[in-house]
């Protein structure tokens, strides 16, 4: 079975500073993969290379290949790539001038869809998938930023799901949330992998253990170890991985 | 001799400085209050229907047996709004596009150069802008040196750098995470800028544009050599046109009593218009902060 998404010898720079070096990793379809590692190890940079968002930062540069269904995304149009590879960010970032409805409809509207019925359907379906529909169905016209922090993050997940991506990248999606909101989002991630390929960056090793089948450990810009989550946590092959998961550094 | 302990000395110092600061505030407010008071007292007597509907009267100072016509400044009101409208229509879009370039697209030395010259231009005496347009028209369109279009262009040259900088600042206040969120949805960059970033910064941009209009509404110097002034109502772009600051400038320095009175009235109306624009700008600004607080 070939992988849905794969990085092949990817390196990335911010100006002259190399953030990640020579990373190759594969992500299976309909699975959840976690990337863990201490702050500044390049986890976020790596997933930002997967949807070509890294290159939007001034002076940033990428080398290597990222294969989506076997085709290099760096030979495709970045806008088309980002429609297939959605992303949820660390801090909930709903569009401040838009209502709940408009936030979810944004991807389609901004790409020219005007049919109200089609939009209604997509908004409802996306909010349901993000487990937010019941909470906001009566306040779709309220500003997106008026929701609670956890609701805002699920709103952002709904917004990312609306254009029906194939892959969903999540960059520490729970780091700004309380345990109850975190639990909701983790349940959600568990459901999402039925339809999507999910890659989640997390600081929280328990979270990786709870949601991901595969876990990768990164350190100082290098990929140290990848494996089945259980395997990696119980019998790490590398001493670096072991020191990190036992809390000796990081 | 009285021995103060340290606490008392500090308290006295504090009081002295507070009083000093209050005195300075009062001193700074005196001229402002005096101007407003005088303008209202001397200007309000001519503000009536004639003031808005008549054009300027023949010059006249009362002598026994002669009643001077009051007249009005209809020609100047129409002229000022036309100049304001035209210069905003030219200057605001150009300034906004420059601001978008500076905040969203520009990289490297060109941005520094554009920003530097925009700052220099906002600091230039406005009469220089008038001279620039005057000279440019002398060379290119000598027949239209004194015209509404020349006046509008002189004012537009003031608007462009001002709006460019205020809209750049407003766009920079939009968090990068908003741009990234939109880009990550697979939206092309130009649409992200036009439909997401610009609308997130709209209050600041509108405020900047209103302040720019308030500024050029009171400009006299650039109009002296361009719009020139006109005793009659004119809406033609190729003809000289009257403006309220020009009325104040010409009528206040004239020896005629009825013209002097109109100058005071015009000053009052101009102050009210500028005040209205500034208040509108403040209200928009306040709304933006209120929205932020809800979001945080």
């Amino acid at each position: 079975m070939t992988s849905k998404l794969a990085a092949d010898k990817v390196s990335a720079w911010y100006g002259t500073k190399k953030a990640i070096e020579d990373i190759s990793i594969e992500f299976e379809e309909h699975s959840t993969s976690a990337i863990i590692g201490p702050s500044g190890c390049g986890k976020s940079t790596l997933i930002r290379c997967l949807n070509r968002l890294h290159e939007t930062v001034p002076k940033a540069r990428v080398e290597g290949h990222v294969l989506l269904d076997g085709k290099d995304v760096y030979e495709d149009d970045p806008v088309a790539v980002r429609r297939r590879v959605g992303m949820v960010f660390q801090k909930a970032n709903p569009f401040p001038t838009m209502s709940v409805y408009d936030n979810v409809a944004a991807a389609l509207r901004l790409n020219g869809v005007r049919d109200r019925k089609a939009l209604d359907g997509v908004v409802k379906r996306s909010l349901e998938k993000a487990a937010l529909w019941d909470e906001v169905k009566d306040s779709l016209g309220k500003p997106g930023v008026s929701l609670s922090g956890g609701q805002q993050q699920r709103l952002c997940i709904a917004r990312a799901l609306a254009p029906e991506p194939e892959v969903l990248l999540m960059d520490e999606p729970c780091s700004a949330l309380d345990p109850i909101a975190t639990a909701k989002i983790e349940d959600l991630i568990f459901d999402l992998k039925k339809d999507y390929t999910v890659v989640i960056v997390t600081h929280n090793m328990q979270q990786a253990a709870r949601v991901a089948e595969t876990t990768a450990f990164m350190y100082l810009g290098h990929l140290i170890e990848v494996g089945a989550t259980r395997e990696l946590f119980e019998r790490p092959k590398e001493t670096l991985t072991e020191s990190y998961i036992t809390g000796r550094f990081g | 001799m009285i021995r103060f302990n340290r606490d008392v000395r500090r308290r006295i110092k504090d009081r002295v400085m507070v009083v000093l600061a209050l005195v300075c505030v009062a001193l700074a407010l005196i001229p402002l209050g005096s101007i407003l008071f005088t303008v209202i007292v001397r200007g309000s007597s001519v503000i009536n229907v004639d003031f808005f509907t008549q054009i300027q009267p023949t010059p006249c100072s009362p002598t026994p047996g002669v009643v001077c016509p009051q007249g009005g400044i209809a020609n100047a009101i129409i002229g000022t709004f036309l100049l304001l409208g035209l210069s905003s229509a030219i200057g605001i879009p150009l300034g906004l596009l420059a601001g978008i370039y500076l905040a969203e697209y520009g990289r490297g030395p060109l941005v520094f150069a554009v920003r530097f010259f925009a700052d220099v231009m906002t600091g230039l005496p406005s009469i220089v802008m008038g001279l620039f347009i005057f000279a440019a028209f002398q060379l290119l369109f000598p027949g239209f040196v004194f015209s509404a279009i020349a006046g509008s262009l002189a004012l537009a040259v003031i608007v462009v750098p001002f709006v460019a900088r205020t809209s750049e600042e407003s766009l920079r206040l939009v968090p990068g995470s908003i741009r990234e969120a939109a880009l990550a949805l697979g939206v092309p960059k130009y649409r992200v800028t036009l439909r997401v970033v610009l609308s997130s910064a709209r209050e600041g941009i509108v405020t900047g544009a209103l302040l720019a209009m308030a500024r050029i509404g009171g400009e006299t110097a650039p109009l002296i050599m361009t719009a020139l002034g006109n005793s009659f109502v004119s809406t033609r772009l190729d003809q000289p046109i009257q403006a309220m600051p020009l009325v104040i400038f010409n009528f206040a320095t004239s020896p005629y009593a009825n013209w002097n009175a109109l100058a005071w009235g015009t000053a009052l109306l101009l102050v009210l218009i500028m005040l209205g624009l500034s208040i509108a700008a403040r209200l928009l600004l306040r709304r933006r902060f209120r929205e932020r607080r809800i979001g945080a």
Side-chain angles (χ1 to χ4, degrees):
Chain A
M1 183 176 146
T2 58
S3 55
K4 177 73 185 170
L5 184 67
D8 180 19
K9 297 200 172 80
V10 171
S11 300
W13 289 259
Y14 293 96
T16 53
K17 189 179 162 287
K18 201 167 197 173
I20 56 173
E21 189 169 356
D22 213 20
I23 291 191
S24 297
I25 184 171
E26 299 190 3
F27 304 102
E28 296 302 325
E29 190 160 18
H30 301 311
S31 76
T32 301
S33 311
I35 303 174
I36 60 170
S39 297
C41 70
K43 319 181 281 289
S44 298
T45 306
L46 173 62
I47 68 165
R48 291 166 60 89
C49 290
L50 302 179
N51 67 343
R52 298 194 59 175
L53 203 60
H54 177 70
E55 67 203 53
T56 63
V57 176
K59 293 185 183 149
R61 193 160 63 84
V62 184
E63 261 177 28
H65 306 280
V66 172
L67 304 171
L68 178 59
D69 288 333
K71 268 191 67 191
D72 192 350
V73 302
Y74 282 90
E75 284 164 14
D76 202 350
D77 172 17
V79 172
V81 170
R82 292 182 201 131
R83 274 178 212 164
R84 296 176 63 194
V85 183
M87 189 163 193
V88 175
F89 296 82
Q90 185 169 0
K91 221 179 130 232
N93 51 3
F95 299 130
T97 55
M98 294 187 195
S99 65
V100 171
Y101 183 101
D102 293 341
N103 261 287
V104 182
L108 284 94
R109 274 229 183 101
L110 292 173
N111 282 315
V113 178
R114 286 201 188 153
D115 177 6
R116 183 80 197 193
K117 254 200 190 133
L119 287 174
D120 282 353
V122 169
V123 169
K124 180 156 190 278
R125 198 161 54 242
S126 307
L127 284 169
E128 279 168 350
K129 274 191 193 159
L132 187 60
W133 173 251
D134 289 329
E135 290 161 61
V136 300
K137 63 180 177 219
D138 299 318
S139 48
L140 294 173
K142 283 210 315 196
V145 287
S146 69
L147 302 178
S148 75
Q151 288 176 327
Q152 286 191 28
Q153 191 60 294
R154 277 178 286 150
L155 176 64
C156 293
I157 294 174
R159 182 178 64 186
L161 295 178
E164 302 193 339
E166 297 152 45
V167 178
L168 190 63
L169 307 173
M170 304 179 105
D171 188 358
E172 299 187 39
C174 303
S175 64
L177 303 180
D178 68 26
I180 295 167
T182 301
K184 277 193 181 160
I185 294 199
E186 285 179 6
D187 285 347
L188 176 59
I189 294 169
F190 202 79
D191 290 336
L192 287 176
K193 75 171 181 217
K194 282 180 221 139
D195 301 314
Y196 305 91
T197 302
V198 180
V199 180
I200 177 171
V201 162
T202 177
H203 244 98
N204 180 329
M205 286 181 271
Q206 285 75 26
Q207 181 167 67
R210 283 191 298 263
V211 301
E213 288 99 66
T214 311
T215 298
F217 171 62
M218 284 181 69
Y219 185 63
L220 295 179
H222 294 271
L223 181 64
I224 306 296
E225 185 171 350
V226 196
T229 302
R230 232 199 144 97
E231 196 81 2
L232 186 119
F233 280 112
E234 287 172 4
R235 286 178 295 278
K237 292 189 190 73
E238 304 288 331
T239 43
L240 265 175
T241 318
E242 191 182 350
S243 334
Y244 182 69
I245 58 179
T246 52
R248 244 167 280 159
F249 69 90
Chain B
M1 202 174 112
I2 309 159
R3 278 189 61 210
F4 292 114
N5 68 31
R6 216 165 33 178
D7 249 20
V8 174
R9 255 200 323 256
R10 278 184 183 164
R11 225 169 288 162
I12 290 175
K13 259 190 207 161
D14 177 55
R15 278 290 149 80
V16 170
M17 293 317 284
V18 168
V19 169
L20 215 67
L22 285 176
V23 168
C24 290
V25 168
L27 281 176
L29 284 178
I30 286 171
L32 181 67
S34 158
I35 289 171
L36 273 178
F37 180 76
T38 319
V39 166
I40 290 169
V41 166
R42 305 192 65 164
S44 51
S45 64
V46 294
I47 301 224
N48 49 32
V49 175
D50 276 2
F51 183 76
F52 293 98
T53 55
Q54 302 290 308
I55 61 168
Q56 57 197 65
T58 47
C60 165
S61 290
T63 46
V66 177
V67 178
C68 286
Q70 184 210 294
I73 56 158
N75 52 335
I77 295 174
I78 291 169
T80 277
F81 277 100
L82 192 138
L83 287 169
L84 260 182
L86 198 58
S87 53
S88 305
I90 299 166
I92 291 174
L94 280 177
L96 181 56
L97 287 173
I100 290 174
Y101 170 76
L102 287 177
E104 303 292 321
Y105 289 91
R107 281 178 192 178
L110 184 60
V111 174
F112 281 100
V114 172
R115 193 179 296 136
F116 177 74
F117 284 114
D119 283 340
V120 169
M121 276 172 79
T122 22
L124 273 187
S126 56
I127 195 161
V128 177
M129 308 299 189
L131 274 171
F132 164 65
I133 294 295
F134 176 81
F137 270 61
Q138 282 291 11
L139 292 171
L140 301 171
F141 318 105
F144 303 107
V145 174
F146 300 118
S147 64
I149 187 72
S152 302
L153 284 175
L155 295 178
V157 177
I158 299 171
V159 170
V160 172
F162 190 95
V163 170
R165 293 292 276 132
T166 53
S167 42
E168 183 199 354
E169 296 299 331
S170 315
L171 289 168
R172 279 185 192 284
L173 286 178
V174 177
S177 62
I178 298 298
R179 291 178 185 84
E180 286 197 335
L183 282 174
L185 289 175
V187 179
K189 168 138 187 179
Y190 75 95
R191 274 201 209 141
V192 172
T193 303
L194 289 179
R195 309 239 337 238
V196 178
V197 181
L198 212 53
S199 94
S200 302
R202 63 189 167 202
E203 273 93 357
I205 291 170
V206 171
T207 305
L210 284 176
L211 287 176
M213 289 175 75
R215 160 131 195 240
I216 57 167
E219 284 290 352
T220 322
L223 297 180
I224 294 173
M225 286 157 297
T226 52
L228 191 67
N230 190 330
S231 311
F232 303 98
V233 172
S234 165
T235 50
R236 287 188 56 173
L237 299 185
D238 59 344
Q239 294 294 318
I241 197 163
Q242 188 63 294
M244 291 165 63
L246 287 176
V247 168
I248 301 172
F249 176 68
N250 290 322
F251 286 16
T253 53
S254 79
Y256 312 111
N258 62 344
W259 279 21
N260 290 164
L262 279 181
W264 283 110
T266 310
L268 176 58
L269 182 60
L270 200 55
V271 166
L272 291 177
I273 292 173
M274 296 313 132
L275 207 65
L277 280 175
S278 294
I279 289 173
R282 288 290 136 79
L283 287 180
L284 285 170
L285 207 68
R286 207 168 62 190
R287 223 186 97 206
R288 183 175 69 184
F289 287 127
R290 214 184 287 149
E291 277 177 8
R292 277 274 159 72
R293 244 175 271 140
I294 295 169

